[in-house]
């Protein structure tokens, strides 16, 4: 190996700045999962009867299922009975009614993560729901959103305040029988965000949920449900971090998006769960089912994800394009370093006429990491004039990592146009040297080149978060050149 | 400013430079000519710290310091600039972004404040005029899709912004049309000061009509086989490298 290839290798070491643990009094279930645990969970959350039935149905189905094994991943067997399915900071009395009542330790935690929950300090245009382990601890700007008719609250609260809405939509995009992890989530999900944008409303601010896993040996199973009614518009962002721990922790989320006539949802994710250390010890298992259904005519959904964290990521945000003229987009940056593994991509299911989809995927692999793009473009019989464009680029940093691309295309309609382009490149020593010759450190050079590679995706992120995402890539690559 | 003493360099087992001696004082312009494969680019790479070369003998001091012991980025920040014979493309990274990042890395090293986006824009617009480049080049990805000549101009633009102490120009004149050659030469001349030195690698005497060197050296088969004033270039043009004992490639 030449000396600058060695430098690239050295640059890939880890510096995870969100790895601290918050000391709190918590209420945690003992590890284990059975119908009683589920009943207890439902009771604690004071859920309506239909929820318990839903959960039990999912649980019974889950018990008949097997973990999927088709992904390009090396996963150590997960013992589902050794996980605790509920952990929440202890409430004082009825739980916080306003931010003043939220445990200062918690506020401090989010502040340290760069997510101040204090509305004065917060970016003016963004409302935040903060989910800590199994529960939502605070939601900002509720009043302002309410004035616009927008509902943005923890899903546990939505089950109390708007049970009919939740019942109408929950599980209609991702059924409780959909896949192993979705079934598990349906059985045990604890919290997450609920958003309803009424007809014709343009949500006056960005909505965002910030997920934090804190407790050890706990799974986080959050559920997000967003409904954009006819002619409405919303931009939503989620961020995620967790402390550094030696054990792997499970995160199995389900996100459902429903988009009606002429409505639009822009959903962005900056995922930075703890990735494990440089020897591959610890880290989050991120097994997520995300799906959007464009139910209406001319509905539009766009997924943008920046995935830098997690030991293992298994995630395929999908678009079901039911309504005629509806549009689905997927923009993804997935960076894996050290021993991280990612198997991620999307599914574009064209059912309606004149539906179109775009997939831009940027996979970056460094260290000994493996990065797989897996994408399905399916055009049904009735999807006349459906169009898809897929561009799938991989960038290798160093020579011990891998990139894989699995595009699946199924077309049943002759008028459909499906295009696929793929490239694989390496950061060349010449590029690196050129930047160094201009005075940049090798580290800054790699970060700059990787950011350049991801530009098409970053420009889809809301401004504030694009800056955050760029910084995150830099941090995730820290140490990958000497 | 720069003192190269008995420099021997190998690539793998192959000896490329076989005892190069060269002294450059502040403000001087030295030209190196020589047949293809003589080791000119190798010399420029070794001076700027590119990996893959082994120095087997000799030493190089720059401003009194041991140059060969310094990391490439440190050499750059200390004022050694290389205009590449083949500038690389960096997709997705805008030219202006790279130049600002580079300038700020240099300023930081000198203990100066970073320039903000507005001040930088003013600076870069001023320099780009000098090289008669369109402002749209600032926002294009570094060298991506640039023509050969545009890449060379872009290198000199970077030198103009970074204001190095020692400019090593590796065939900056190759691939330039007649007008572009004049513009680039003008750019180089505008950089000439009492302090700033140049090591200019070229194949063409024509370039020396525009940028007048103080010394001309002939590098052949890894050694400087002849040195002289500007008149040496004219003589070479007339007689070829055979005359100085250089083998044609
Ligand atoms: N990485 C390498 N591996 C093997 N040989 C090399 C390598 N780099 C340079 N060389 C050899 O070293 C010799 C000198 O190359 P160099 O690029 O320095 O020549 P040059 O004088 O700049 O030539 P030109 O005028 O064509 O640009 C050549 O024979 C070249 O093939
Ligand atoms: Mg050369």
């Amino acid at each position: 190996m030449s000396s600058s290839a060695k430098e690239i290798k050295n640059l890939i070491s880890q510096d995870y700045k969100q790895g601290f643990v918050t000391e709190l009094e918590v209420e945690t279930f003992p590890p284990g999962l059975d119908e009683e645990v589920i009943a207890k969970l439902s009771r604690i959350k004071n859920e309506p009867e239909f929820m318990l039935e839903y959960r039990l149905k999912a649980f019974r189905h889950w018990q008949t299922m097997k973990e999927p094994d088709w992904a390009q991943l090396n996963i150590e067997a997960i013992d589902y009975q050794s996980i605790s399915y509920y952990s929440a900071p202890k409430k004082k009395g009825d739980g916080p009614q306003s931010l003043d009542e939220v445990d200062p330790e918690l506020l401090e935690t989010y502040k340290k993560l760069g997510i101040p929950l204090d509305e004065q300090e917060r970016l003016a245009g963004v409302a935040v729901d903060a989910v800590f382990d199994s529960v939502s601890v605070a939601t900002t700007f509720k009043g302002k959103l309410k004035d616009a008719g927008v509902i943005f609250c923890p899903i546990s609260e939505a089950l109390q305040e708007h049970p009919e809405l939740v019942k109408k939509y929950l599980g209609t995009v991702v059924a409780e029988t959909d896949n192993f992890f979705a079934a598990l989530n349906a059985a045990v999900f604890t919290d997450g965000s609920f958003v309803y944008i009424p007809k014709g409303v343009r949500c006056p601010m960005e909505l965002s949920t910030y997920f934090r896993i804190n407790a050890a040996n706990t799974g986080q199973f959050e559920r997000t449900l967003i409904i954009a009614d006819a002619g409405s518009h919303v931009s939503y962002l989620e961020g995620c971090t967790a402390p550094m721990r030696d054990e792997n922790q499970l995160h199995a989320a389900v996100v459902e998006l429903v988009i009606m006539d002429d409505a639009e949802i822009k959903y962005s994710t900056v995922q930075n769960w703890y990735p494990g250390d440089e020897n591959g010890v610890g880290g989050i298992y991120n097994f997520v089912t995300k799906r959007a259904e464009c139910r209406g005519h001319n509905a539009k959904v766009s997924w943008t994800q920046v995935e830098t964290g997690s030991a293992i990521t298994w995630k395929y945000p999908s678009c079901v394009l039911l309504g005629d003229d509806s549009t689905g987009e997927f923009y993804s940056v997935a960076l894996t370093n050290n021993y991280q593994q990612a198997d991620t991509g999307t599914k574009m299911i064209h059912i309606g006429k004149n539906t179109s989809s775009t997939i831009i995927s940027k996979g970056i692999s460094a260290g000994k990491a493996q990065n797989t793009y897996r994408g399905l473009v399916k055009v049904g019989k009735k999807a006349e004039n459906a169009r898809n464009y897929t561009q799938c680029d991989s960038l290798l940093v160093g020579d011990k990592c891998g990139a894989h691309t699995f595009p699946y295309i199924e077309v049943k309609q002759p008028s459909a146009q499906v295009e696929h382009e793929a490239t694989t490149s390496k950061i060349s020593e010449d590029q690196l040297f050129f930047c160094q010759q201009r005075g940049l450190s090798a580290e800054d050079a790699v970060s700059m080149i990787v950011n350049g590679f991801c530009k098409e995706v970053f420009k889809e992120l809301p401004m504030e978060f694009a800056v955050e995402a760029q910084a995150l890539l830099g941090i995730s690559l820290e140490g990958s050149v000497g | 400013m720069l003192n190269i003493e008995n420099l021997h360099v190998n690539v793998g087992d192959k000896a490329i430079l076989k005892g190069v001696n060269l002294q450059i004082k502040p403000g001087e312009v030295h030209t190196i000519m020589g047949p293809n494969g003589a080791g000119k680019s190798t010399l420029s790479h070794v001076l700027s710290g590119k990996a893959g070369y082994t120095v087997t003998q000799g030493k190089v001091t720059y401003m009194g310091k041991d140059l060969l012991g310094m990391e490439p980025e440190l050499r750059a920040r200390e004022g050694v600039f290389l205009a590449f014979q083949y500038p690389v493309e960096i997709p997705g990274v805008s030219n202006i972004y790279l130049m600002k990042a580079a300038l700020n890395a240099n300023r930081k090293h000198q203990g100066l404040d970073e320039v903000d986006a507005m001040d930088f824009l003013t600076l870069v617009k001023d320099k780009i005029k000098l090289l008669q480049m369109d402002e749209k080049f600032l926002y294009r990805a570094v060298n991506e899709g640039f023509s050969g000549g545009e890449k060379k101009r872009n290198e000199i633009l970077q030198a103009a912004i970074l204001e190095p102490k020692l400019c090593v120009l590796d065939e900056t004149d190759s691939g330039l049309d007649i007008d572009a050659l004049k513009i680039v030469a003008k750019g180089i001349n505008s950089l000439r000061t009492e302090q700033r030195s140049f090591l200019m690698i070229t194949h063409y005497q024509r370039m020396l009509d525009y940028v007048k060197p103080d010394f001309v050296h002939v590098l052949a088969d890894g050694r400087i086989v002849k040195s002289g004033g500007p008149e040496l270039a004219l003589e070479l043009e007339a007689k070829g490298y055979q005359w100085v004992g250089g083998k044609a490639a």
Side-chain angles (χ1 to χ4, degrees), chain A residues 22-26 89-92 95-96 98-110 117 132 137-138:
Chain A
T22 309
E23 296 298 339
L24 279 175
E25 259 198 274
V26 292
K90 263 214 178 112
K91 283 189 191 170
K92 300 178 176 92
S98 76
L99 278 178
D100 308 339
E101 295 172 41
V102 174
D103 191 325
E105 273 291 329
L106 275 176
L107 293 180
E108 191 51 37
T109 297
Y110 281 91
L117 296 175
F132 193 82
V137 292

PDB file of all heavy atoms in Angstrom, chain A residues 22-26 89-92 95-96 98-110 117 132 137-138:
ATOM      1  N   THR A  22     -27.017   9.941  29.732  1.00  0.00           N
ATOM      2  CA  THR A  22     -27.681  10.832  30.679  1.00  0.00           C
ATOM      3  C   THR A  22     -28.105  10.015  31.905  1.00  0.00           C
ATOM      4  O   THR A  22     -28.719   8.964  31.762  1.00  0.00           O
ATOM      5  CB  THR A  22     -28.933  11.462  30.038  1.00  0.00           C
ATOM      6  OG1 THR A  22     -28.562  12.035  28.786  1.00  0.00           O
ATOM      7  CG2 THR A  22     -29.531  12.520  30.934  1.00  0.00           C
ATOM      8  N   GLU A  23     -27.728  10.492  33.099  1.00  0.00           N
ATOM      9  CA  GLU A  23     -28.125   9.798  34.326  1.00  0.00           C
ATOM     10  C   GLU A  23     -29.492  10.314  34.751  1.00  0.00           C
ATOM     11  O   GLU A  23     -29.659  11.484  35.046  1.00  0.00           O
ATOM     12  CB  GLU A  23     -27.113  10.063  35.453  1.00  0.00           C
ATOM     13  CG  GLU A  23     -25.719   9.520  35.191  1.00  0.00           C
ATOM     14  CD  GLU A  23     -25.669   8.005  35.045  1.00  0.00           C
ATOM     15  OE1 GLU A  23     -26.601   7.317  35.532  1.00  0.00           O
ATOM     16  OE2 GLU A  23     -24.717   7.506  34.421  1.00  0.00           O
ATOM     17  N   LEU A  24     -30.468   9.424  34.792  1.00  0.00           N
ATOM     18  CA  LEU A  24     -31.831   9.830  35.080  1.00  0.00           C
ATOM     19  C   LEU A  24     -32.509   8.734  35.867  1.00  0.00           C
ATOM     20  O   LEU A  24     -32.132   7.573  35.780  1.00  0.00           O
ATOM     21  CB  LEU A  24     -32.623   9.957  33.778  1.00  0.00           C
ATOM     22  CG  LEU A  24     -32.524  11.186  32.922  1.00  0.00           C
ATOM     23  CD1 LEU A  24     -33.319  10.943  31.660  1.00  0.00           C
ATOM     24  CD2 LEU A  24     -33.055  12.410  33.639  1.00  0.00           C
ATOM     25  N   GLU A  25     -33.542   9.118  36.603  1.00  0.00           N
ATOM     26  CA  GLU A  25     -34.379   8.086  37.191  1.00  0.00           C
ATOM     27  C   GLU A  25     -35.319   7.597  36.113  1.00  0.00           C
ATOM     28  O   GLU A  25     -36.009   8.381  35.470  1.00  0.00           O
ATOM     29  CB  GLU A  25     -35.202   8.692  38.322  1.00  0.00           C
ATOM     30  CG  GLU A  25     -34.630   8.381  39.684  1.00  0.00           C
ATOM     31  CD  GLU A  25     -35.676   8.615  40.744  1.00  0.00           C
ATOM     32  OE1 GLU A  25     -35.793   9.760  41.191  1.00  0.00           O
ATOM     33  OE2 GLU A  25     -36.386   7.645  41.084  1.00  0.00           O
ATOM     34  N   VAL A  26     -35.295   6.314  35.880  1.00  0.00           N
ATOM     35  CA  VAL A  26     -36.125   5.810  34.793  1.00  0.00           C
ATOM     36  C   VAL A  26     -37.031   4.693  35.261  1.00  0.00           C
ATOM     37  O   VAL A  26     -36.788   4.046  36.277  1.00  0.00           O
ATOM     38  CB  VAL A  26     -35.277   5.279  33.607  1.00  0.00           C
ATOM     39  CG1 VAL A  26     -34.554   6.395  32.917  1.00  0.00           C
ATOM     40  CG2 VAL A  26     -34.318   4.206  34.071  1.00  0.00           C
ATOM     41  N   PRO A  89     -38.044   8.081  31.193  1.00  0.00           N
ATOM     42  CA  PRO A  89     -37.663   8.892  32.354  1.00  0.00           C
ATOM     43  C   PRO A  89     -38.856   8.943  33.298  1.00  0.00           C
ATOM     44  O   PRO A  89     -39.997   9.089  32.845  1.00  0.00           O
ATOM     45  CB  PRO A  89     -37.384  10.264  31.747  1.00  0.00           C
ATOM     46  CG  PRO A  89     -37.204  10.049  30.287  1.00  0.00           C
ATOM     47  CD  PRO A  89     -37.998   8.826  29.940  1.00  0.00           C
ATOM     48  N   LYS A  90     -38.605   8.796  34.617  1.00  0.00           N
ATOM     49  CA  LYS A  90     -39.713   8.797  35.587  1.00  0.00           C
ATOM     50  C   LYS A  90     -40.447  10.116  35.536  1.00  0.00           C
ATOM     51  O   LYS A  90     -39.871  11.186  35.520  1.00  0.00           O
ATOM     52  CB  LYS A  90     -39.149   8.558  36.995  1.00  0.00           C
ATOM     53  CG  LYS A  90     -39.251   7.116  37.378  1.00  0.00           C
ATOM     54  CD  LYS A  90     -39.504   6.938  38.885  1.00  0.00           C
ATOM     55  CE  LYS A  90     -39.644   5.465  39.189  1.00  0.00           C
ATOM     56  NZ  LYS A  90     -38.521   4.929  39.996  1.00  0.00           N
ATOM     57  N   LYS A  91     -41.750  10.018  35.516  1.00  0.00           N
ATOM     58  CA  LYS A  91     -42.562  11.232  35.474  1.00  0.00           C
ATOM     59  C   LYS A  91     -42.806  11.741  36.874  1.00  0.00           C
ATOM     60  O   LYS A  91     -42.906  10.981  37.820  1.00  0.00           O
ATOM     61  CB  LYS A  91     -43.921  10.930  34.845  1.00  0.00           C
ATOM     62  CG  LYS A  91     -43.873  10.815  33.351  1.00  0.00           C
ATOM     63  CD  LYS A  91     -45.294  10.737  32.845  1.00  0.00           C
ATOM     64  CE  LYS A  91     -45.315  10.344  31.380  1.00  0.00           C
ATOM     65  NZ  LYS A  91     -46.663  10.031  30.937  1.00  0.00           N
ATOM     66  N   LYS A  92     -42.913  13.032  36.995  1.00  0.00           N
ATOM     67  CA  LYS A  92     -43.320  13.613  38.273  1.00  0.00           C
ATOM     68  C   LYS A  92     -44.791  13.978  38.096  1.00  0.00           C
ATOM     69  O   LYS A  92     -45.136  14.803  37.278  1.00  0.00           O
ATOM     70  CB  LYS A  92     -42.464  14.835  38.582  1.00  0.00           C
ATOM     71  CG  LYS A  92     -40.990  14.419  38.658  1.00  0.00           C
ATOM     72  CD  LYS A  92     -40.063  15.589  38.924  1.00  0.00           C
ATOM     73  CE  LYS A  92     -38.636  15.094  39.095  1.00  0.00           C
ATOM     74  NZ  LYS A  92     -37.864  15.071  37.856  1.00  0.00           N
ATOM     75  N   GLY A  95     -46.820  14.215  34.495  1.00  0.00           N
ATOM     76  CA  GLY A  95     -45.941  14.412  33.342  1.00  0.00           C
ATOM     77  C   GLY A  95     -45.951  15.872  32.945  1.00  0.00           C
ATOM     78  O   GLY A  95     -46.847  16.628  33.331  1.00  0.00           O
ATOM     79  N   PRO A  96     -44.938  16.284  32.219  1.00  0.00           N
ATOM     80  CA  PRO A  96     -44.749  17.704  31.949  1.00  0.00           C
ATOM     81  C   PRO A  96     -45.863  18.286  31.077  1.00  0.00           C
ATOM     82  O   PRO A  96     -46.230  17.705  30.072  1.00  0.00           O
ATOM     83  CB  PRO A  96     -43.406  17.748  31.219  1.00  0.00           C
ATOM     84  CG  PRO A  96     -43.172  16.362  30.714  1.00  0.00           C
ATOM     85  CD  PRO A  96     -43.934  15.434  31.587  1.00  0.00           C
ATOM     86  N   SER A  98     -45.591  21.672  30.348  1.00  0.00           N
ATOM     87  CA  SER A  98     -44.838  22.650  29.563  1.00  0.00           C
ATOM     88  C   SER A  98     -43.359  22.368  29.768  1.00  0.00           C
ATOM     89  O   SER A  98     -42.982  21.541  30.607  1.00  0.00           O
ATOM     90  CB  SER A  98     -45.167  24.066  30.031  1.00  0.00           C
ATOM     91  OG  SER A  98     -44.499  24.306  31.256  1.00  0.00           O
ATOM     92  N   LEU A  99     -42.553  23.066  29.006  1.00  0.00           N
ATOM     93  CA  LEU A  99     -41.116  22.823  29.073  1.00  0.00           C
ATOM     94  C   LEU A  99     -40.542  23.060  30.460  1.00  0.00           C
ATOM     95  O   LEU A  99     -39.575  22.420  30.857  1.00  0.00           O
ATOM     96  CB  LEU A  99     -40.387  23.717  28.066  1.00  0.00           C
ATOM     97  CG  LEU A  99     -40.371  23.207  26.623  1.00  0.00           C
ATOM     98  CD1 LEU A  99     -39.655  24.208  25.737  1.00  0.00           C
ATOM     99  CD2 LEU A  99     -39.693  21.849  26.523  1.00  0.00           C
ATOM    100  N   ASP A 100     -41.173  23.990  31.229  1.00  0.00           N
ATOM    101  CA  ASP A 100     -40.659  24.284  32.568  1.00  0.00           C
ATOM    102  C   ASP A 100     -40.674  23.048  33.448  1.00  0.00           C
ATOM    103  O   ASP A 100     -39.941  22.946  34.418  1.00  0.00           O
ATOM    104  CB  ASP A 100     -41.506  25.368  33.259  1.00  0.00           C
ATOM    105  CG  ASP A 100     -41.650  26.590  32.376  1.00  0.00           C
ATOM    106  OD1 ASP A 100     -40.799  26.742  31.479  1.00  0.00           O
ATOM    107  OD2 ASP A 100     -42.602  27.363  32.568  1.00  0.00           O
ATOM    108  N   GLU A 101     -41.573  22.119  33.114  1.00  0.00           N
ATOM    109  CA  GLU A 101     -41.709  20.951  33.963  1.00  0.00           C
ATOM    110  C   GLU A 101     -40.868  19.771  33.492  1.00  0.00           C
ATOM    111  O   GLU A 101     -40.836  18.739  34.133  1.00  0.00           O
ATOM    112  CB  GLU A 101     -43.186  20.530  34.030  1.00  0.00           C
ATOM    113  CG  GLU A 101     -44.051  21.586  34.708  1.00  0.00           C
ATOM    114  CD  GLU A 101     -45.523  21.248  34.578  1.00  0.00           C
ATOM    115  OE1 GLU A 101     -45.879  20.064  34.719  1.00  0.00           O
ATOM    116  OE2 GLU A 101     -46.309  22.165  34.309  1.00  0.00           O
ATOM    117  N   VAL A 102     -40.233  19.933  32.327  1.00  0.00           N
ATOM    118  CA  VAL A 102     -39.398  18.837  31.832  1.00  0.00           C
ATOM    119  C   VAL A 102     -38.123  18.765  32.667  1.00  0.00           C
ATOM    120  O   VAL A 102     -37.552  19.790  33.034  1.00  0.00           O
ATOM    121  CB  VAL A 102     -39.048  19.050  30.339  1.00  0.00           C
ATOM    122  CG1 VAL A 102     -38.056  18.001  29.857  1.00  0.00           C
ATOM    123  CG2 VAL A 102     -40.306  19.019  29.494  1.00  0.00           C
ATOM    124  N   ASP A 103     -37.720  17.564  33.005  1.00  0.00           N
ATOM    125  CA  ASP A 103     -36.497  17.351  33.783  1.00  0.00           C
ATOM    126  C   ASP A 103     -35.334  18.125  33.171  1.00  0.00           C
ATOM    127  O   ASP A 103     -35.026  17.963  31.990  1.00  0.00           O
ATOM    128  CB  ASP A 103     -36.187  15.842  33.783  1.00  0.00           C
ATOM    129  CG  ASP A 103     -35.093  15.491  34.772  1.00  0.00           C
ATOM    130  OD1 ASP A 103     -34.170  16.327  34.945  1.00  0.00           O
ATOM    131  OD2 ASP A 103     -35.167  14.400  35.358  1.00  0.00           O
ATOM    132  N   PRO A 104     -34.693  18.998  33.963  1.00  0.00           N
ATOM    133  CA  PRO A 104     -33.576  19.795  33.416  1.00  0.00           C
ATOM    134  C   PRO A 104     -32.466  18.924  32.811  1.00  0.00           C
ATOM    135  O   PRO A 104     -31.804  19.325  31.848  1.00  0.00           O
ATOM    136  CB  PRO A 104     -33.045  20.577  34.617  1.00  0.00           C
ATOM    137  CG  PRO A 104     -34.023  20.402  35.716  1.00  0.00           C
ATOM    138  CD  PRO A 104     -34.981  19.302  35.368  1.00  0.00           C
ATOM    139  N   GLU A 105     -32.269  17.725  33.376  1.00  0.00           N
ATOM    140  CA  GLU A 105     -31.266  16.801  32.817  1.00  0.00           C
ATOM    141  C   GLU A 105     -31.561  16.500  31.342  1.00  0.00           C
ATOM    142  O   GLU A 105     -30.671  16.395  30.512  1.00  0.00           O
ATOM    143  CB  GLU A 105     -31.279  15.465  33.574  1.00  0.00           C
ATOM    144  CG  GLU A 105     -30.401  15.423  34.812  1.00  0.00           C
ATOM    145  CD  GLU A 105     -28.916  15.466  34.482  1.00  0.00           C
ATOM    146  OE1 GLU A 105     -28.536  14.967  33.416  1.00  0.00           O
ATOM    147  OE2 GLU A 105     -28.158  16.018  35.286  1.00  0.00           O
ATOM    148  N   LEU A 106     -32.854  16.338  31.071  1.00  0.00           N
ATOM    149  CA  LEU A 106     -33.281  16.034  29.710  1.00  0.00           C
ATOM    150  C   LEU A 106     -33.069  17.224  28.784  1.00  0.00           C
ATOM    151  O   LEU A 106     -32.567  17.081  27.674  1.00  0.00           O
ATOM    152  CB  LEU A 106     -34.759  15.665  29.701  1.00  0.00           C
ATOM    153  CG  LEU A 106     -35.084  14.210  29.997  1.00  0.00           C
ATOM    154  CD1 LEU A 106     -36.575  14.015  30.051  1.00  0.00           C
ATOM    155  CD2 LEU A 106     -34.477  13.309  28.937  1.00  0.00           C
ATOM    156  N   LEU A 107     -33.456  18.394  29.287  1.00  0.00           N
ATOM    157  CA  LEU A 107     -33.263  19.599  28.466  1.00  0.00           C
ATOM    158  C   LEU A 107     -31.783  19.774  28.159  1.00  0.00           C
ATOM    159  O   LEU A 107     -31.387  20.102  27.039  1.00  0.00           O
ATOM    160  CB  LEU A 107     -33.795  20.833  29.199  1.00  0.00           C
ATOM    161  CG  LEU A 107     -35.306  20.887  29.395  1.00  0.00           C
ATOM    162  CD1 LEU A 107     -35.717  22.159  30.123  1.00  0.00           C
ATOM    163  CD2 LEU A 107     -36.033  20.795  28.047  1.00  0.00           C
ATOM    164  N   GLU A 108     -30.967  19.505  29.168  1.00  0.00           N
ATOM    165  CA  GLU A 108     -29.517  19.623  29.026  1.00  0.00           C
ATOM    166  C   GLU A 108     -28.993  18.635  27.968  1.00  0.00           C
ATOM    167  O   GLU A 108     -28.151  18.967  27.145  1.00  0.00           O
ATOM    168  CB  GLU A 108     -28.860  19.372  30.390  1.00  0.00           C
ATOM    169  CG  GLU A 108     -27.389  19.721  30.471  1.00  0.00           C
ATOM    170  CD  GLU A 108     -27.080  21.131  29.979  1.00  0.00           C
ATOM    171  OE1 GLU A 108     -27.883  22.072  30.217  1.00  0.00           O
ATOM    172  OE2 GLU A 108     -26.054  21.286  29.306  1.00  0.00           O
ATOM    173  N   THR A 109     -29.554  17.412  28.011  1.00  0.00           N
ATOM    174  CA  THR A 109     -29.157  16.382  27.044  1.00  0.00           C
ATOM    175  C   THR A 109     -29.392  16.855  25.616  1.00  0.00           C
ATOM    176  O   THR A 109     -28.503  16.791  24.762  1.00  0.00           O
ATOM    177  CB  THR A 109     -29.959  15.089  27.283  1.00  0.00           C
ATOM    178  OG1 THR A 109     -29.646  14.601  28.579  1.00  0.00           O
ATOM    179  CG2 THR A 109     -29.606  14.024  26.246  1.00  0.00           C
ATOM    180  N   TYR A 110     -30.573  17.379  25.377  1.00  0.00           N
ATOM    181  CA  TYR A 110     -30.890  17.819  24.015  1.00  0.00           C
ATOM    182  C   TYR A 110     -30.063  19.041  23.615  1.00  0.00           C
ATOM    183  O   TYR A 110     -29.676  19.191  22.463  1.00  0.00           O
ATOM    184  CB  TYR A 110     -32.396  18.070  23.863  1.00  0.00           C
ATOM    185  CG  TYR A 110     -33.136  16.755  23.687  1.00  0.00           C
ATOM    186  CD1 TYR A 110     -33.634  16.061  24.786  1.00  0.00           C
ATOM    187  CD2 TYR A 110     -33.264  16.178  22.430  1.00  0.00           C
ATOM    188  CE1 TYR A 110     -34.267  14.836  24.636  1.00  0.00           C
ATOM    189  CE2 TYR A 110     -33.885  14.957  22.257  1.00  0.00           C
ATOM    190  CZ  TYR A 110     -34.390  14.286  23.362  1.00  0.00           C
ATOM    191  OH  TYR A 110     -34.989  13.073  23.196  1.00  0.00           O
ATOM    192  N   LEU A 117     -34.483  22.704  23.248  1.00  0.00           N
ATOM    193  CA  LEU A 117     -35.935  22.592  23.163  1.00  0.00           C
ATOM    194  C   LEU A 117     -36.614  23.899  23.569  1.00  0.00           C
ATOM    195  O   LEU A 117     -37.803  24.079  23.385  1.00  0.00           O
ATOM    196  CB  LEU A 117     -36.419  21.440  24.050  1.00  0.00           C
ATOM    197  CG  LEU A 117     -35.913  20.073  23.584  1.00  0.00           C
ATOM    198  CD1 LEU A 117     -36.317  18.986  24.562  1.00  0.00           C
ATOM    199  CD2 LEU A 117     -36.435  19.744  22.197  1.00  0.00           C
ATOM    200  N   PHE A 132     -37.317  10.412  23.818  1.00  0.00           N
ATOM    201  CA  PHE A 132     -36.209   9.927  24.621  1.00  0.00           C
ATOM    202  C   PHE A 132     -36.523   8.497  25.021  1.00  0.00           C
ATOM    203  O   PHE A 132     -37.512   8.254  25.721  1.00  0.00           O
ATOM    204  CB  PHE A 132     -36.089  10.830  25.851  1.00  0.00           C
ATOM    205  CG  PHE A 132     -34.823  10.654  26.627  1.00  0.00           C
ATOM    206  CD1 PHE A 132     -33.655  11.291  26.226  1.00  0.00           C
ATOM    207  CD2 PHE A 132     -34.797   9.871  27.768  1.00  0.00           C
ATOM    208  CE1 PHE A 132     -32.488  11.147  26.961  1.00  0.00           C
ATOM    209  CE2 PHE A 132     -33.625   9.721  28.505  1.00  0.00           C
ATOM    210  CZ  PHE A 132     -32.471  10.363  28.098  1.00  0.00           C
ATOM    211  N   VAL A 137     -40.678  13.474  25.173  1.00  0.00           N
ATOM    212  CA  VAL A 137     -40.515  14.299  26.369  1.00  0.00           C
ATOM    213  C   VAL A 137     -40.928  15.746  26.164  1.00  0.00           C
ATOM    214  O   VAL A 137     -41.186  16.460  27.118  1.00  0.00           O
ATOM    215  CB  VAL A 137     -39.069  14.245  26.912  1.00  0.00           C
ATOM    216  CG1 VAL A 137     -38.780  12.856  27.465  1.00  0.00           C
ATOM    217  CG2 VAL A 137     -38.054  14.607  25.854  1.00  0.00           C
ATOM    218  N   ALA A 138     -40.975  16.191  24.961  1.00  0.00           N
ATOM    219  CA  ALA A 138     -41.369  17.577  24.738  1.00  0.00           C
ATOM    220  C   ALA A 138     -41.699  17.813  23.277  1.00  0.00           C
ATOM    221  O   ALA A 138     -41.116  17.202  22.393  1.00  0.00           O
ATOM    222  CB  ALA A 138     -40.233  18.511  25.145  1.00  0.00           C
TER     223      ALA A 138
END
